[in-house]
Amino acid sequence: MTAGADAQMTAEGVVVETFTVRLPRWKAVLWLFGRTPLVRASDRVEASVLVLAVVVWLLAFPIVATAGVAVYDSRRLIYAEEVHTRQSVTATFTESPAAQQVPPFRTVEAHWSAGGAEHIGHVETRSIAQPGDTITIWVDRNGVQVDEPTPTNHAAVEAITVAALIWIGVAAAAMSAYAGTRIVCDRIRGTRWQHDLDRLVTAGGKPSSSEP
């Protein structure tokens, strides 16, 4: 993008400067590929890398979209499976939390019924539990305590996040390649400018800057 500053005068006679950000002039970029003698080889190389970087970034979109869809489908299946294979049950505390446990998290022994059998395990609670108090926990088909199922809408968030990160990574890599090419081209142009200036000074009967 290019930027420009303009000055405008208001009705009160106050001069206001406005700052405008403009998109790249692709017509000027295409001009670099013409046969004009004013265009140097380094200019064409830099323009070629810029066009290639933009093309790569745009062509990466369908690949990124495919990756996002794949992530969405896989995670959605996993979360849907969790919803179907996990259930909430009521666990009853069988003991009080140990005195040395630091709030707000306390691990307390409890028992619950699931899968046609009785189970005993330790559950975490934020409250001051007493024997006989109850808490809702999640278990699998075998009655083993597990985490609460992840909402299926999280699959869309994860898919968008992965796709965005990939696309940003492609854009960063493309722009880094262009930036590196531009630095090299600037050095080449600077060296040639210095060489031409030295030849011009020498041609005028004066010693060049390279002579002692």
Side-chain angles (χ1 to χ4, degrees):
M1 294 187 295
T2 58
D6 301 314
Q8 298 179 354
M9 181 174 293
T10 63
E12 293 78 10
V14 179
V15 177
V16 179
E17 291 189 358
T18 59
F19 188 79
T20 305
V21 178
R22 303 181 182 88
L23 292 175
R25 296 184 178 181
W26 293 106
K27 189 175 182 180
V29 175
L30 295 176
W31 174 76
L32 293 174
F33 294 100
R35 296 184 178 181
T36 172
L38 299 177
V39 179
R40 296 159 296 188
S42 59
D43 296 331
R44 291 191 175 92
V45 171
E46 181 180 339
S48 299
V49 174
L50 174 60
V51 173
L52 180 61
V54 174
V55 170
V56 169
W57 183 60
L58 293 177
L59 292 179
F61 180 78
I63 300 176
V64 170
T66 301
V69 172
V71 172
Y72 173 77
D73 291 340
S74 62
R75 303 307 295 177
R76 184 173 175 273
L77 288 176
I78 293 175
Y79 298 151
E81 182 69 14
E82 290 181 357
V83 172
H84 286 90
T85 59
R86 300 180 184 184
Q87 61 177 331
S88 60
V89 297
T90 299
T92 303
F93 296 124
T94 58
E95 64 176 6
S96 299
Q100 66 269 21
Q101 295 189 46
V102 180
F105 297 102
R106 295 178 172 86
T107 302
V108 184
E109 185 179 89
H111 71 85
W112 60 88
S113 299
E118 291 292 326
H119 301 270
I120 298 178
H122 288 83
V123 298
E124 282 191 349
T125 177
R126 290 177 176 270
S127 61
I128 301 176
Q130 298 296 330
D133 292 345
T134 60
I135 187 175
T136 300
I137 63 174
W138 287 87
V139 297
D140 60 15
R141 291 174 177 174
N142 298 321
V144 179
Q145 185 180 2
V146 293
D147 294 330
E148 181 179 355
T150 305
T152 55
N153 58 7
H154 281 206
V157 177
E158 294 178 2
I160 294 174
T161 301
V162 170
L165 290 176
I166 295 176
W167 208 19
I168 291 174
V170 172
M175 288 298 100
S176 296
Y178 168 69
T181 302
R182 184 172 184 178
I183 291 174
V184 174
C185 290
D186 285 342
R187 291 179 179 177
I188 294 174
R189 286 189 287 260
T191 301
R192 290 182 177 178
W193 268 106
Q194 185 62 46
H195 178 69
D196 292 341
L197 289 175
D198 291 344
R199 290 179 59 187
L200 180 62
V201 171
T202 303
K206 298 179 181 180
S208 65
S209 58
S210 60
E211 295 180 354

